[in-house]
Amino acid sequence: MSVYVVGHKSPDTDSVTAAIAYAELMKAKGEDYIPCMQGKANPETITVLDRFGVAMPENMTDAAGKQVALVDHSDLAQAPDNLSDGEVVAIVDHHKIGDVTTNNPIFFCAMPVGCTGTVLKVLYDLEGIAIQPQIAGIMLAAILSDTVNFKSPTCTDADKKAVAELKSIAGVDDTDSLFMDMLKAKSAVEGVPPMDLLDRDYKDFDMKGKKVGVGQLELATLDQVASMRDDLYKAMEEKKAGGRHSVLLMLTDVVKEGTDLMVVSDDPAMIEGAFNAKLDGNSMWIDGMMSRKKQTVPNLQKAFGC
Ligand code: MG
Ligand code: MG
Ligand code: MG
C-alpha cells in the first residue's frame, strides 16, 4: 500500500519540499511513498521547483482509506480531511506537537529547528543515504524560506549547518541570491485577489475553543501592499465571518525585520494586550516580529489562556 506524504493546508515551500524529500528518502529505503500537497503551490514554491527541476507533487486533500505521513505539521486543523478514516504512519516536523493521535506506534521525529528540511537532513545522515543534488537544492531553499534567510528567531545552528552542507551537494554558490529570487516570487502581490493573498500562507489555530486564523505575507517593503489594505481587510472580515474569533494578517517587512499586524477580532483589546501594542486604525507595527510560530502564536495562546 502506498503512503501519501503530505504537508499542511495552504502549502508553503517547506511543506511541499519536505513531502518530496521525505518520499525520496523512503523510496531509497525501498518503500512506496508518494509526495503530495494540499492545494496549489505558492509562487515561491513554483520558483524553487522550477529552479531545481523537480516535479510538482500531486494534490491530496482527503485521507480517507489512505496511509499518510505528515510533514511540517501535526495539527488536525492543518491536516488532510477525514484523517480519522485514514492511518497516520509517520510524522516529521519542526513545530509544537499538535493534536493528531494514532492507534499504533509510528515513526515520529520532531526537532526544535527552523525547518522540516533541517530535520530531513538529519534523517538522511542517520540513514546514511546520499541526497540527490536537486533534492538538496529544494531542501536548502525551504530552510532559507522558513528561517527568512537565517533572520528569523526560529533559526538554529542546525539550520545553518544543514544549509552549509546542502549547498555544496546542490551546487549552489550564493544562497543570498537564491533567497532574493524566492522573496521576489513570494512577495509578488499585484493582480492577486485579496483572499488568495490572505490564504497564501494562512493557518487556523484552536485557542481555548476559539478559532483564530493567522496569515502572513513576507514582503520586501510594506509599500507593496499599501494600495490593497482595504481589500485585504475585507477578505479578513469575510474569513472571520466563517466562525472565527479573530483573523490576523502579518505583513512582515523582511528588510526592516518587523511586522505590521492587521487585526479583525471580537476582542481587539485582547489582541493589543497579547502584543503589548496599540492598534492604529486596523493594524499595529511590531518591531522584530518575524515568526508566526515563535512570536505570534505563543503570545496569542498566552492571551487566550491556553
Ligand atoms: Mg510550513
Ligand atoms: Mg516549516
Ligand atoms: Mg513559514
Side-chain angles (χ1 to χ4, degrees):
M1 190 174 181
S2 301
V3 175
Y4 295 83
V5 191
V6 68
H8 52 76
K9 292 191 197 297
S10 294
D12 59 6
T13 296
D14 186 32
S15 81
V16 176
T17 59
I20 298 168
Y22 188 52
E24 284 297 317
L25 170 66
M26 296 308 288
K27 278 189 248 174
K29 294 176 68 179
E31 308 272 352
D32 180 17
Y33 275 53
I34 301 170
C36 303
M37 57 187 186
Q38 299 191 64
K40 257 174 56 188
N42 69 32
E44 180 195 70
T45 307
I46 293 169
T47 300
V48 166
L49 295 185
D50 271 1
R51 159 107 177 221
F52 294 101
V54 175
M56 191 68 71
E58 58 186 80
N59 252 286
M60 196 281 280
T61 56
D62 192 327
K66 296 188 180 83
Q67 286 197 328
V68 297
L70 305 179
V71 291
D72 200 32
H73 72 294
S74 65
D75 281 312
L76 282 173
Q78 298 165 20
D81 299 336
N82 302 312
L83 197 64
S84 56
D85 300 328
E87 186 189 4
V88 177
V89 298
I91 296 174
V92 181
D93 193 18
H94 70 119
H95 295 86
K96 69 180 172 63
I97 295 175
D99 51 3
V100 169
T101 56
T102 64
N103 294 324
N104 296 303
I106 65 161
F107 181 83
F108 187 101
C109 182
M111 296 170 67
V113 295
C115 181
T116 311
T118 302
V119 181
L120 287 167
K121 173 68 170 65
V122 172
L123 292 181
Y124 270 94
D125 291 348
L126 273 175
E127 299 280 359
I129 290 168
I131 306 175
Q132 296 307 307
Q134 71 274 26
I135 301 299
I138 62 174
M139 289 165 70
L140 158 69
I143 300 171
L144 298 177
S145 173
D146 265 13
T147 66
V148 197
N149 204 19
F150 308 131
K151 281 186 193 166
S152 169
T154 59
C155 186
T156 66
D157 288 342
D159 299 299
K160 293 177 188 163
K161 178 168 177 277
V163 165
E165 293 172 13
L166 289 167
K167 67 188 270 201
S168 70
I169 300 170
V172 172
D173 297 323
D174 186 350
T175 53
D176 286 338
S177 94
L178 172 59
F179 177 75
M180 282 319 289
D181 289 348
M182 291 159 57
L183 183 59
K184 259 182 242 161
K186 112 156 80 181
S187 66
V189 294
E190 246 158 88
V192 184
M195 189 57 89
D196 288 9
L197 281 180
L198 179 56
D199 280 332
R200 190 181 269 179
D201 181 6
Y202 175 89
K203 288 178 183 171
D204 276 319
F205 298 90
D206 180 87
M207 304 260 171
K208 269 275 170 93
K210 298 195 168 82
K211 199 167 172 184
V212 176
V214 185
Q216 182 173 29
L217 287 175
E218 283 162 343
L219 303 164
T221 161
L222 292 179
D223 295 344
Q224 286 178 277
V225 292
S227 66
M228 311 176 76
R229 280 177 177 264
D230 290 347
D231 292 334
L232 284 169
Y233 191 77
K234 272 183 215 141
M236 292 168 69
E237 284 182 313
E238 194 184 319
K239 175 103 48 198
K240 181 181 172 300
R244 292 173 176 82
H245 176 278
S246 303
V247 174
L248 313 187
L249 177 58
M250 300 170 63
L251 302 173
T252 300
D253 187 321
V254 171
V255 178
K256 287 198 178 127
E257 299 186 38
T259 289
D260 200 35
L261 186 68
M262 292 183 73
V263 178
V264 179
S265 177
D266 286 341
D267 191 351
M270 178 187 179
I271 308 294
E272 288 182 327
F275 300 102
N276 196 20
K278 273 265 165 283
L279 284 165
D280 177 12
N282 49 37
S283 73
M284 50 194 176
W285 174 258
I286 300 165
D287 216 37
M289 183 197 268
M290 306 279 285
S291 167
R292 171 172 49 203
K293 178 173 71 176
K294 209 145 185 172
Q295 296 167 306
T296 315
V297 171
N299 280 318
L300 286 170
Q301 283 174 322
K302 226 182 282 167
F304 277 84
C306 299

